[in-house]
Amino acid sequence: MADLQVKVLVVDDEPQIRRLLRVSLTAQGYHVIEASSGEQAVLMAATEQPEVIILDLGLPDIDGQEVIRRVREWTDTPIIVL
């Protein structure tokens, strides 16, 4: 059954926001993976291949716009901006 779950990558540098989204999405049956920086988000998007990315634009290393630009070079995964 776990293989049928939609994988969501949550990208936010604030642990409280990641926790809120993880709890809420997991309760709805989603498989949640997390990144706390832009560089980590790009890497996880490539290696984990999530079906959806929820992205904060204000990240500590590279901003969310740059994450979008990099990810869009090789995938059209839907991105929801917080």
Side-chain angles (χ1 to χ4, degrees), residues 22-34:
R22 180 181 64 248
V23 169
S24 299
L25 291 168
T26 301
Q28 295 298 316
Y30 294 95
H31 174 70
V32 177
I33 55 176
E34 301 176 33

